[in-house]
């Protein structure tokens, strides 16, 4: 089990993890048994759900966790006064003493649910923090963003990720492609991501291809073998059709480029139509070539719009397709209209309102950089040491941590929808289907409810127990799991405008445990 | 010359680059001589300047550009119907026929200035597009963001990048550290970035370290060798000082953690003081340990604030430092106050207005994800084929490209400040210092000006001519170049609020060349 990236190694961490590990070691605390929770406090994008992703990468990191001599040498340089035995300890470290409990990759998750619970010696569990956060935060953010785009566009649209050029670095891009797919996209333009993860790759041509031709004379070799195997002069055929259809004022360079592209990909002809003018030149030129392909026995794919008023242009394009269908008798109904250009969730929602004829969306910058919110605020908090609970207090109640080892259960109601996620202490009685379960708000004393649950799904499982304890699902299965869950949640939790919060509760036992500790630990200040 | 990342290879591209290259090859256009400009259209962050970065990584990509048999095999899978000779051509490709002209890495640049001009056979220059954009866009964005943070904080502050856990993937983080440093930061928490690029690394401890102690009894071994080499019980010393200073109600676990940290790092004691309560517990506990260190002959470093009202807390902390200085006679004037927690450019400007006592800023999410604008819109446009200029027209004038091979010169005025960047055609007479230079707005006919220039700096140089033609400067030199240039530009171009646009002009020859082409190529539409 290799890490996906050579950068994913124990040096991919904040220096303070290493200085802390030295201080733990120096004071003999490094073997204390620690429990850390990795969780987030707020759903991204002003939404009410999050997709958990990055588990496989986190496990690959854990499986390979080991300081090489090069790593040690560098740490010796930056901590020159340290005790040399510390470095022997670093050399000895691996994750054989670690246990990790996690929710399944692709799960729909909510604030305060531990995504990972990491247990083991304090020294090493501390050293895992930053890398685990890095691997989970961005992956989950992108998967969530992609799922939101998918919900906004509708399940019948094809969604393609086109963000490589604007992504935050090479693997910012590769990760974006991977987790966009997990979140429900159908494919990517990123060839490397395709080759690494088996994601379908898509793409045809850019403006530069169109611009590279300025006249029909530049076409050197125009022979196309039609479906019957007959050679024909494809340029001549296109020009005859151009006269027939009356599209005589279109840009010739563009027409030449479309002919060239169709000659190279007669079964994959999708034309970018906005280099000069979408409706006056691009779509008419596409139609000349498309009809020529039809008459040669091929089926053209469609067009891509990349600027302008996409709702209007898509409707007009469809109308032109229908006119040509009427005048030629050819079946244009399967010709796709793809659209790209700065598409975000709001644009998708607005296009729906305006009425559009787009079949395929290519989404770049807003998806891969997660422009609406470019970071998920996942944190990794110490919740127990040597079986003693730890709580982080804060003037800000949202930042108080829930102490101790916990597990979560998802309770389903009579209609089959999830009603609430219940956090309980590990070891207390688990909620059972068909019973009345007492659920409390973690902080507000008077918010309490009995939930009659038809089904209970435990959310946590042990995924690492000194070695891998989880069968890594293929990416396509994780993606399908996301899709299945999204269709199993109430729509009002998932919608973009004013979504209903999904409840995360605690058991009575956990409530009392937390609040007793809170009262004991919280300093009572003197004010004057 | 290795690429910095194994993901930086010819598959890190959009599929359409590969399909286009096939169509070029199929029609015999792949050997046409192409010129592409890589540039951006708008400065990021509503600002009026950009720092160009990513050149070294771009050159490493170019130097290593080569399709391996594994790459070819994957492309054969996704383009199954392609002519097999195409793959022989792919196999033969490298950048020995390519020339690249670029502005120096770290240059302050402006919209429409080509950052790279890539010349060579159309087939291969097209294949470079996406990867070059990926490598330049994010690097330049982060360097610019960092420079803006630096300007907002002031040159006397220490600026540290703390973004690893929230960055967009592992090398999103590594690149963020690298280019934050280029943009003027002093260091990073990212150990891997430190080891790869020699950037100073910084960090002490987190809340979890404080939480891991709940009482003074947990301290096992408390012997500190003082500067004279004498053993002393450091805990006892701290407790005596605690009584002396009257700080008897602070959190004991926190005090224990600070003692433990000071024992491990007596010369590097910087305490995170907000785990329980900054002013009631954290700072007093810091002071107990700090005074004990002073009395043992060590100099404590300072504190880090990580929540709350940073302006207020920093002033109060400084006041406490001064009180202790007055009562103990120890020199606390060098004790640093560091601050972190969701710092962005606006927060820095607001802190300045409020008055603060912060010496060191740790900046994470907003810097590394570039939250204010997470992508730079760099583009790569075809401007000539076989010596014939190409123009991309658009209904949107901002998207029209300036055709042909161009170079840029920076004209300095009498006061030594840059006045204007002038784009000229390659081959036309270059502007000379001491002369009157005619400069035109690229699109607005009546905006013209004569510039009396004291000095002319050519911005472009050949950096790749079939092989590396550029001496790669060390990162610290690039950083210094950024700092030097920022101090050489008029402040009103750089400020955050209502900055003055810096002018990018074209020569009269380029203006006429472009507008003649525009008139010839632009379709005249019939409207009815």
């Amino acid at each position: 089990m290799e890490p996906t990236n050579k950068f994913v190694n124990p040096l991919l961490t904040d220096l303070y993890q290493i200085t802390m590990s030295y201080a733990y070691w120096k004071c003999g605390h490094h073997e204390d048994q620690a429990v850390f929770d990795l969780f987030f406090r707020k759903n991204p994008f002003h939404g009410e759900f999050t997709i958990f992703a990055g588990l496989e990468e986190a496990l690959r990191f854990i499986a390979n966790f080991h300081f090489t001599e090069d790593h040690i040498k560098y740490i010796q340089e930056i901590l020159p006064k340290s005790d040399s035995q510390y470095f022997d300890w670093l050399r000895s470290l691996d994750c054989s003493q670690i246990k990790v409990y996690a929710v399944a990759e692709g799960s729909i998750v909510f604030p305060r649910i531990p995504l990972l619970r990491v247990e083991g010696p304090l020294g090493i569990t501390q050293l895992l923090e930053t890398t685990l956060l890095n691997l989970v935060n961005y992956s989950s953010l992108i998967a969530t963003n992609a799922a939101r785009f998918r919900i906004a566009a509708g399940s019948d649209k094809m969604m393609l990720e086109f963000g490589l050029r604007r992504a935050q670095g090479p693997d910012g891009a590769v990760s974006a492609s991977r987790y966009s797919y997990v979140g429900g996209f159908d494919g990517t333009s990123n060839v490397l991501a395709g080759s690494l993860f088996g994601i379908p790759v898509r793409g045809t041509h850019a403006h530069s291809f169109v611009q590279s031709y300025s006249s029909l004379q530049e076409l050197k070799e125009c022979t196309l073998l039609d479906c019957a195997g007959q050679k024909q002069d494809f340029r001549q055929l296109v020009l005859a059709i151009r006269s027939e259809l009356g599209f005589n004022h279109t840009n010739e360079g563009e027409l030449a480029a479309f002919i060239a592209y169709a000659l190279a990909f007669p079964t994959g002809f999708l034309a970018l139509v906005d280099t000069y003018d979408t409706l006056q030149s691009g779509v008419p030129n596409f139609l000349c070539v498309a009809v020529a392909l039809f008459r040669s026995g091929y089926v053209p794919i469609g067009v891509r719009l990349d600027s302008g008023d996409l709702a209007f242009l898509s409707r007009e394009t469809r109308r032109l397709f229908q006119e040509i269908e009427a005048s030629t008798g050819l079946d244009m109904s399967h010709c796709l209209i793809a659209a790209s250009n700065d598409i975000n969730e709001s644009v998708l929602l607005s296009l729906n309102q305006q009425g559009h004829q787009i079949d395929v969306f290519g989404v770049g910058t807003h998806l891969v950089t997660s422009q609406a919110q470019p970071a998920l605020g996942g944190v990794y908090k110490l919740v127990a040491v040597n079986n003693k609970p730890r709580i982080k207090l804060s003037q800000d109640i949202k930042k108080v941590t829930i102490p101790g080892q916990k597990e979560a259960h998802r309770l389903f109601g009579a209609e089959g929808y999830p009603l609430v996620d219940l956090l309980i202490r590990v070891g207390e009685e688990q909620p059972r289907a068909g019973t009345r379960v007492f659920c409390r708000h973690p902080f507000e004393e008077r918010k309490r409810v009995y939930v009659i649950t038809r089904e209970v799904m435990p959310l946590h499982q042990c995924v690492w127990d000194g070695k891998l304890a989880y069968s890594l699902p293929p990416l396509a299965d994780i993606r399908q799991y996301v899709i299945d869950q999204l269709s199993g949640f109430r729509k009002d939790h998932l919608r973009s405008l004013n979504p209903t919060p999904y409840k995360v509760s605690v058991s009575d036992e956990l409530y009392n445990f937390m609040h007793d500790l809170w009262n004991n630990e919280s300093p009572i200040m003197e004010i004057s």
Side-chain angles (χ1 to χ4, degrees), chain A residues 121-163:
Chain A
L122 179 58
I124 181 163
T125 48
Q126 182 74 66
L127 284 169
L128 303 176
E129 172 175 4
T130 304
T131 324
L132 291 179
L133 285 172
N134 178 282
L135 294 173
V136 167
N137 273 334
Y138 181 57
S139 310
S140 301
L141 184 76
I142 292 294
T144 308
N145 203 22
R148 296 181 64 88
F149 276 71
R150 160 60 72 199
I151 291 168
S155 58
D156 59 329
K157 303 304 176 199
M158 177 174 283
M159 304 292 287
L160 302 175
E161 177 270 312
F162 282 178

Side-chain angles (χ1 to χ4, degrees), chain A residues 202-471:
Chain A
R202 292 288 178 273
T204 54
H205 70 84
H207 296 115
S208 55
F209 186 80
V210 176
Q211 288 171 270
S212 77
Y213 288 86
S214 59
S215 77
L216 290 159
Q217 285 69 52
E218 288 170 31
L219 292 170
K220 293 173 189 166
E221 168 56 48
C222 295
T223 307
L224 181 72
L225 283 186
D226 67 18
C227 270
Q230 299 293 315
K231 280 189 185 178
Q232 55 174 327
D233 183 328
F234 190 66
R235 173 172 56 182
Q236 213 166 18
L237 177 61
V238 170
L239 289 177
I241 291 168
R242 191 189 192 201
S243 294
E244 177 191 329
L245 301 180
F247 294 140
N248 296 312
H249 298 294
T250 61
N251 185 292
E252 274 205 8
E254 182 179 57
L255 184 60
F258 289 179
I259 292 171
Y261 197 81
L263 286 166
F265 296 101
T267 61
F269 180 59
L270 190 148
L272 174 63
V273 290
D274 75 327
T275 305
Y276 301 102
D277 187 290
T278 300
L279 297 177
Q280 303 279 343
S281 185
V283 175
N285 276 335
F286 163 77
L287 288 167
C288 298
V289 177
V291 170
L293 282 171
F294 270 124
R295 292 196 181 151
S296 309
Y298 295 102
V299 180
I301 307 280
V303 298
R304 177 159 70 94
L305 311 172
D306 190 41
S307 59
D309 179 335
L310 298 177
F312 169 75
L313 291 173
S314 69
R315 292 194 307 265
E316 287 299 300
T317 300
R318 186 73 71 201
R319 195 177 56 73
L320 283 168
F321 286 6
Q322 287 161 348
E323 280 180 17
I324 296 302
E325 179 160 335
S327 70
T328 62
L330 297 165
D331 178 9
M332 302 283 297
S333 66
H334 299 295
C335 277
L336 297 177
I337 300 175
S340 46
N341 191 31
D342 240 14
I343 287 172
N344 61 26
E345 198 181 337
S346 314
V347 168
L348 290 171
L349 296 170
S350 163
L351 286 170
N352 292 344
Q353 286 190 323
Q354 295 170 69
H356 68 82
Q357 287 286 331
I358 299 163
D359 306 295
V360 181
F361 287 102
V363 189
T365 315
H366 291 280
L367 175 63
V368 305
T369 68
S370 202
Q371 195 133 12
Q373 181 184 324
L376 180 70
V379 294
Y380 183 86
K381 294 291 173 190
L382 185 65
V383 294
V385 179
N386 292 338
N387 285 315
K388 280 186 270 176
R390 287 291 187 271
I391 191 165
K392 182 188 175 299
L393 299 171
S394 171
Q395 265 106 331
D396 182 356
I397 201 167
K398 287 196 300 290
K399 288 197 165 186
V400 171
T401 57
I402 302 178
Q405 284 170 299
K406 299 168 295 293
E407 61 184 37
H409 296 263
R410 183 155 292 168
L411 312 187
F412 292 75
E415 291 172 21
Y417 291 118
L419 290 180
V420 62
D421 283 3
L422 180 69
L423 276 169
I424 66 173
R425 297 190 66 195
V426 169
E428 76 168 290
E429 198 187 348
Q430 299 187 340
R432 278 174 298 127
T435 66
R436 212 172 66 142
V437 182
F438 187 52
C439 297
R440 302 195 65 156
H441 188 285
F443 303 115
E444 296 182 38
E445 193 175 4
R446 302 181 63 178
K447 287 195 175 169
R448 303 168 303 177
V449 67
Y450 283 108
V451 173
I452 318 287
T453 180
R454 196 178 78 172
E455 189 194 333
V456 174
M457 183 175 84
L459 292 181
H460 288 99
Q461 59 185 304
C462 182
V463 295
W464 179 268
D465 185 4
K467 60 183 195 300
L468 190 66
Y470 177 67
S471 159

